[in-house]
Amino acid sequence: MAGSRCKPPDAVVWPQNAEQVSRLAALCYGHGLPIIPFGTGTGLEGGVCAVQGGVCINLTMMDRILELNPEDFSVVVEPGVTHRALNTHLRASGLWFPVDPGADASLCGMAATRASGTNAVRYGTMRDNVLNLEVVLPDGRLLHTAGQGRHFRKSAAGYNLTGLFVGSEGTLGLITAATLRLHPTPEATVVATCAFPTVQAAVDSTVHILQAAVPVARIEFLDDVMMDACNKYSKLNYSVAPTLFFEFHGTKEALAEQVQRAEEITQNNGAFHFSWAKEAEERRQLWAARHNAWYSALALRPGSKGYSTDVCVPISRLPEILVQAKEDLKASGITGAIVGHVGDGNFHCILLVDPEDPEELHRVKVFAEQLGRRALALHGTCTGEHGIGLGKRHLLQEEVGAVGVQTMRQLKAVLDPKGLMNPGKVL
Amino acid sequence: MAGSRCKPPDAVVWPQNAEQVSRLAALCYGHGLPIIPFGTGTGLEGGVCAVQGGVCINLTMMDRILELNPEDFSVVVEPGVTHRALNTHLRASGLWFPVDPGADASLCGMAATRASGTNAVRYGTMRDNVLNLEVVLPDGRLLHTAGQGRHFRKSAAGYNLTGLFVGSEGTLGLITAATLRLHPTPEATVVATCAFPTVQAAVDSTVHILQAAVPVARIEFLDDVMMDACNKYSKLNYSVAPTLFFEFHGTKEALAEQVQRAEEITQNNGAFHFSWAKEAEERRQLWAARHNAWYSALALRPGSKGYSTDVCVPISRLPEILVQAKEDLKASGITGAIVGHVGDGNFHCILLVDPEDPEELHRVKVFAEQLGRRALALHGTCTGEHGIGLGKRHLLQEEVGAVGVQTMRQLKAVLDPKGLMNPGKVL
Ligand SMILES: Cc1cc2nc3c(=O)[nH]c(=O)nc-3n(C[C@H](O)[C@H](O)[C@H](O)COP(=O)(O)OP(=O)(O)OC[C@H]3O[C@@H](n4cnc5c(N)ncnc54)[C@H](O)[C@@H]3O)c2cc1C
Ligand SMILES: Cc1cc2nc3c(=O)[nH]c(=O)nc-3n(C[C@H](O)[C@H](O)[C@H](O)COP(=O)(O)OP(=O)(O)OC[C@H]3O[C@@H](n4cnc5c(N)ncnc54)[C@H](O)[C@@H]3O)c2cc1C
């Protein structure tokens, strides 16, 4: 719900290399000007709003892939490289990068927001897949969080600076390069879908599949409203019911077994229909429908804007919060479709709102906040992957408590003593 | 090489709960007394030496398992619980905790050193398996790094405080509870060993197995000297040659395929002998030999003490550094056996030294430092899993550079303003 407060910066600059970013930062530091790092602007929490004016540093022109080490499963990218561009570049290498937010975001922006996506249940989030960052600090100094040029898989050397900058949302420094961990391209892929009588049955299936250690690569939940929207938007003909979308990666033999286990488990939980697609085109169509979820939801009510909630809870608490969210939606008269990275306990209500209707905007805001508090009460988080940005700062305080926020403020104060990096965000 | 400088603390206390730890910390803070957190004392870098005297807070009496959430794959443990105690407790639950340093260390000590072990190639290190920490800060305040009671799988809420405290080696606060991520117990397990004509062939096999996405759970390298030591100590009869020990986890069908692929790959790389063990007793014996590597090496020269190096490099650089390390060992006349978590690029030279011989101690120190620098030159780290402690502080500076160390010092200064937490370590 950040949109309403958005303010443009006083200036936008397009540096071409880290040296220029460093000089720009030093200049702003000297003049006390706020800096707002800009990746591709797909962030959903108002992270690039210039609430105090200042200089927006747009990093899209730094778009080189600097180094690929296939034997070491690593790559170094500049901040203008998006996850799709990287995967296109990698196509012939036998490697890929799995973190895939729905939008084609920049990889450094994804590091900045600790982004995630549909493959996280198997391959982890940006937290797990960033090996090193080059960061321009507020005063212009260049930091290599794991040491210059280093790309080892693990280390116990000193404080984990990489982990501190991943998820810092531009409030501690500007990321000018990221070293990422790559994965071998799966030999084969199968996709399946499956409809359920209830939300509970879909989530129970998810827990049972994880408990059985089926190494599912993707397991996505769509509620009846979302399925209806996808059918309409992507011209498909799925049951309008709680549904799971699966993807399995492995060798042909391993896949057959994974699919069979998943099918057994879903059937034990009362699934009505388990259908699978091995052909590339069929698979592509199916995931295109999933990836178009946001636009499908928006199309339910032309002219409306979307706002996405982003709570994440321990997986055993998912059924109750999902059921409650659907009741709250009904009670508040808001149109909302639900889609979730259910293997991680993370789901989104895509809420449709008429931007000209302040009363409706208010209702959406109340709903989103209530959902955030419900997640907190169930030992969850107010944001699984989108970040805090502008609108969730008060929820962050409730989530981590007074000492947590004090500690974060101390870190901010010591690394950005003039408070110039993306002010007004996170804390 | 920390042993020589070790100094006892002025006092040792055994608190029974976090409240007492908090009061102790506040007391020490008020009186300006150094605090040294003590887990199980198995650390290899002198982390519990009281270089400036002070109070050792021994946490072994806090040994309860506070909460098990099987559906959420999480558990909360106090600092006296070791990884073996936890796995014994979990036996009936269908879950386990995979991080397994050779010694039966405390889980909070393992979090403090960012420990790892033989399963990291598949299940990650403490970095990846700690969900939340309860920490007593130097002034006695209680911090929950991810918020009190929270145990979600992922979050993008604010700075990653959990990641900052994992690997901080007692220099930022006392960990009084850890929430850990559990994994489903594998349905079946197969173990295999395989000897190679050269170190290069063993490492090439490792890279090819990872590239082929065989989900190997353990892949450990032992050099000829280590194999000889294991044969003697564990009364075995393996080839005295560079050897890989494998473990595979999965369903029975999946295992057969994994083993077959690994066998093919190792044979393509000239392996002489691939033998596998499905029976529990045979498997146990084999891994007991690996887990006794430290004691086997010590037995090569009775009366000697061991010091373990711990470098980690990008995997493509492993053959050259291993070959070089063996040459350096020979040239310096030191007895050393090599064992490594080769899937992560991490290996140890277990160096045998007569503690009464200052000249030999010096040679060992020179060798270890040279090896650390070789790893740094190959884009590696001076410590993959043991930490910096006392003896590698100068290597840390070379590894992360001036700005890296400045940044770490800033974090230390703001979180521990009086410099009382485990002084003289890491920085
Ligand atoms: C349709 C749609 C679907 C989405 N699906 C997902 C999803 O599945 N999972 C998910 O995690 N997110 C998702 N998102 C959100 C968004 O794509 C992510 O938050 C993404 O990480 C933002 O990257 P960006 O480059 O666009 O960052 P921006 O929007 O440009 O910036 C986001 C924040 O990061 C900071 N930042 C950006 N680049 C840098 C840098 N180089 N250095 C320092 N700070 C920087 C900015 O200052 C800002 O605070 C979705 C968004 C849309 C529109
Ligand atoms: C035979 C042998 C084999 C080993 N194999 C491995 C291996 O394979 N992988 C590996 O990673 N390590 C290995 N180790 C090293 C050691 O087991 C690890 O470093 C372990 O994590 C230390 O845990 P501990 O509880 O013994 O910590 P301690 O030795 O008690 O302390 C280590 C450091 O952590 C701090 N610390 C301990 N507990 C806390 C706490 N609760 N709060 C804050 N700070 C704390 C201490 O102050 C100290 O700086 C091995 C050691 C031995 C002897």
Side-chain angles (χ1 to χ4, degrees), chain A residues 35-48 59 79 83 99-118 126 168-171 173-177 290-291 294-295 310 341 346 348 384-387 389 421-422 425, chain B residues 154:
Chain A
I35 291 178
I36 302 99
F38 186 98
T40 46
T42 70
L44 296 171
E45 290 299 340
V48 297
L59 297 155
H83 64 91
V99 188
D100 68 334
D104 192 19
S106 77
L107 291 152
C108 292
M110 288 161 59
T113 61
R114 212 182 294 137
S116 175
T118 61
M126 290 308 278
S168 61
E169 299 188 46
T171 63
L174 293 128
I175 300 170
T176 50
R290 164 63 189 88
H291 273 134
W294 174 261
Y295 306 100
D310 179 39
H341 312 307
N346 181 208
H348 310 300
E385 55 182 28
H386 294 166
M421 285 306 306
N422 212 359
K425 313 299 163 59
Chain B
K154 70 177 191 190

Side-chain angles (χ1 to χ4, degrees), chain A residues 76-101:
Chain A
V76 185
V77 297
E78 286 191 331
V81 179
T82 66
H83 64 91
R84 281 185 206 141
L86 174 62
N87 279 321
T88 302
H89 180 85
L90 291 174
R91 204 166 278 164
S93 70
L95 298 170
W96 71 307
F97 186 71
V99 188
D100 68 334

Side-chain angles (χ1 to χ4, degrees), chain B residues 112-391:
Chain B
T113 61
R114 212 182 295 139
S116 171
T118 61
N119 293 296
V121 64
R122 167 127 171 213
Y123 298 96
T125 73
M126 290 306 278
R127 195 193 83 129
D128 310 294
N129 288 287
V130 176
L131 301 175
N132 201 350
L133 293 172
E134 181 186 83
V135 177
V136 170
L137 294 171
D139 60 7
R141 280 174 308 145
L142 204 62
L143 168 69
H144 296 270
T145 54
Q148 188 162 8
R150 309 203 178 282
H151 57 278
F152 36 70
R153 261 176 84 135
K154 70 177 191 190
S155 164
Y159 305 147
N160 182 358
L161 299 179
T162 307
L164 184 60
F165 281 88
V166 171
S168 61
E169 300 188 45
T171 64
L172 301 179
L174 293 128
I175 302 171
T176 50
T179 306
L180 304 173
R181 178 168 169 191
L182 301 175
H183 297 259
T185 314
E187 193 172 307
T189 298
V190 174
V191 156
T193 61
C194 183
F196 293 88
T198 60
V199 170
Q200 178 87 44
V203 177
D204 284 350
S205 300
T206 306
V207 173
H208 296 159
I209 285 168
L210 296 177
Q211 280 172 340
V214 180
V216 61
R218 291 169 154 171
I219 180 163
E220 296 280 303
F221 171 80
L222 290 83
D223 80 342
D224 51 345
V225 181
M226 195 72 244
M227 287 308 293
D228 188 37
C230 285
N231 278 340
K232 287 179 180 144
Y233 186 84
S234 298
K235 306 208 173 19
L236 298 167
N237 204 5
Y238 286 106
S239 309
V240 176
T243 300
L244 290 178
F245 279 37
F246 298 97
E247 190 164 284
F248 304 95
H249 294 170
T251 61
K252 290 216 180 67
E253 296 77 11
L255 283 187
E257 199 197 357
Q258 288 182 41
V259 172
Q260 193 200 326
R261 293 223 153 190
E263 184 164 359
E264 275 164 25
I265 290 170
T266 54
Q267 262 155 14
N268 287 340
N269 284 292
F272 5 113
H273 189 73
F274 189 94
S275 75
W276 49 295
K278 266 210 287 204
E279 299 314 317
E281 179 49 29
E282 223 182 325
R283 277 183 358 231
R284 202 203 49 73
Q285 255 186 27
L286 207 147
W287 280 107
R290 164 62 188 88
H291 272 136
N292 284 327
W294 175 259
Y295 306 101
S296 314
L298 286 182
L300 283 177
R301 200 174 141 192
S304 61
K305 290 222 157 186
Y307 174 73
S308 173
T309 67
D310 180 37
V311 301
C312 177
V313 294
I315 196 165
S316 67
R317 314 314 288 269
L318 256 181
E320 65 194 277
I321 195 169
L322 279 169
V323 167
Q324 189 66 59
K326 286 182 78 67
E327 280 170 18
D328 291 348
L329 273 178
K330 206 179 268 175
S332 58
I334 301 168
T335 309
I338 296 180
V339 57
H341 312 306
V342 80
D344 300 324
N346 181 208
F347 70 93
H348 310 301
C349 297
I350 304 179
L351 307 171
L352 303 182
V353 54
D354 174 356
E356 307 298 316
D357 181 345
E359 187 277 328
E360 195 176 64
L361 275 166
H362 179 73
R363 260 186 295 140
V364 163
K365 196 178 155 177
V366 168
F367 170 84
E369 224 168 85
Q370 185 181 36
L371 183 59
R373 293 217 166 88
R374 285 198 195 284
L376 295 184
L378 298 174
H379 311 297
T381 171
C382 67
T383 175
E385 56 183 27
H386 295 166
I388 295 296
L390 276 173

Side-chain angles (χ1 to χ4, degrees), chain A residues 198-210:
Chain A
T198 61
V199 170
Q200 178 88 43
V203 177
D204 284 348
S205 300
T206 306
V207 172
H208 297 161
I209 284 169
L210 296 178

